[in-house]
Amino acid sequence: LTGTPTANTLLDAHGLMKITKVPGAPSSLTKFKQTFGFPTGPFSMQFFHDAQARIMDMMHPSVTFCKRECIDLPPQVDIFRNVGMSKEQEHAYNDLINDYVHEVKAAGSNTVHTVTAMNAISLMTKLLQVSCGVTIDKDDADEPIELVTHPADKMDELYRAIVQTGNKVLIFAPDKAVIRQLTTALEKKYGKG
């Protein structure tokens, strides 16, 4: 598991012994402390002078495998697919950026307007939502609604990628609303399952 089983203190070895089920290892932390040391206070202890050697002997033999010995994977291949946004998305994206820039410059040329992290992260989140095609907003009753502007191009490119792999596919999405839209579209195309 590690080249340094007692990196911080000899107590570190107890968890490793439990995980690897070392025969004869003390079953509890209290028993471990009593086997290899003695208490010097309510929250401190002193280890016996030979505790390190005894722990290493107990953990021996260690079996190690290099990743290359047990995993035979092809090299990683990165394929990037650029899919543009719809006109509606581009318009919303540009409006968000322009409003944000206007908000920063509105303080005047002689003063510095400080933008808090919440403002910046809120903008970045909205830009990500717009680029994905699902934007969360609030209706008149202050209830969250999903505004879907999913361009067909993105879904077509996703379907092409799925067909080209010929294998099972994992799809990562940055937002729950995007996951719901992807699930609906994929179930419509491929069925539930």
Side-chain angles (χ1 to χ4, degrees):
L1 294 173
T2 177
T4 54
T6 56
N8 299 315
T9 175
L10 294 181
L11 291 175
D12 295 349
H14 177 256
L16 293 173
M17 287 180 170
K18 293 215 28 129
I19 290 171
T20 56
K21 297 183 180 173
V22 172
S27 58
S28 69
L29 185 58
T30 303
K31 187 78 172 155
F32 183 87
K33 289 178 180 179
Q34 291 169 350
T35 305
F36 297 108
F38 55 92
T40 56
F43 301 107
S44 61
M45 67 172 294
Q46 177 69 43
F47 288 99
F48 298 130
H49 65 86
D50 64 340
Q52 175 84 31
R54 288 174 48 211
I55 288 171
M56 292 304 152
D57 284 344
M58 189 174 279
M59 293 181 77
H60 189 75
S62 300
V63 179
T64 60
F65 295 101
C66 293
K67 186 167 70 171
R68 66 180 174 274
E69 293 173 358
C70 57
I71 298 176
D72 184 26
L73 293 174
Q76 178 177 325
V77 177
D78 294 325
I79 299 173
F80 297 94
R81 299 168 188 254
N82 293 325
V83 182
M85 292 188 283
S86 68
K87 294 289 183 194
E88 184 181 9
Q89 285 175 297
E90 285 179 14
H91 182 70
Y93 198 92
N94 291 332
D95 279 353
L96 280 170
I97 291 174
N98 291 338
D99 289 346
Y100 182 72
V101 171
H102 177 72
E103 179 183 321
V104 171
K105 292 180 181 177
S109 59
N110 294 334
T111 59
V112 177
H113 184 6
T114 304
V115 178
T116 65
M118 282 304 292
N119 288 344
I121 197 71
S122 175
L123 175 69
M124 290 179 356
T125 302
K126 286 297 176 195
L127 290 173
L128 182 62
Q129 288 175 357
V130 168
S131 66
C132 287
V134 182
T135 306
I136 306 297
D137 203 359
K138 299 208 181 230
D139 62 10
D140 295 335
D142 208 31
E143 292 294 320
I145 57 170
E146 294 176 11
L147 305 172
V148 181
T149 57
H150 236 322
D153 293 348
K154 285 191 180 186
M155 289 309 298
D156 290 342
E157 191 61 39
L158 177 61
Y159 297 144
R160 262 193 297 280
I162 291 170
V163 169
Q164 287 173 356
T165 63
N167 294 315
K168 293 183 178 182
V169 178
L170 287 175
I171 301 172
F172 294 90
D175 194 67
K176 288 180 184 178
V178 176
I179 293 171
R180 283 191 290 273
Q181 294 304 319
L182 285 170
T183 302
T184 302
L186 291 170
E187 284 177 350
K188 185 188 264 186
K189 176 127 177 119
Y190 297 107
K192 287 188 177 184

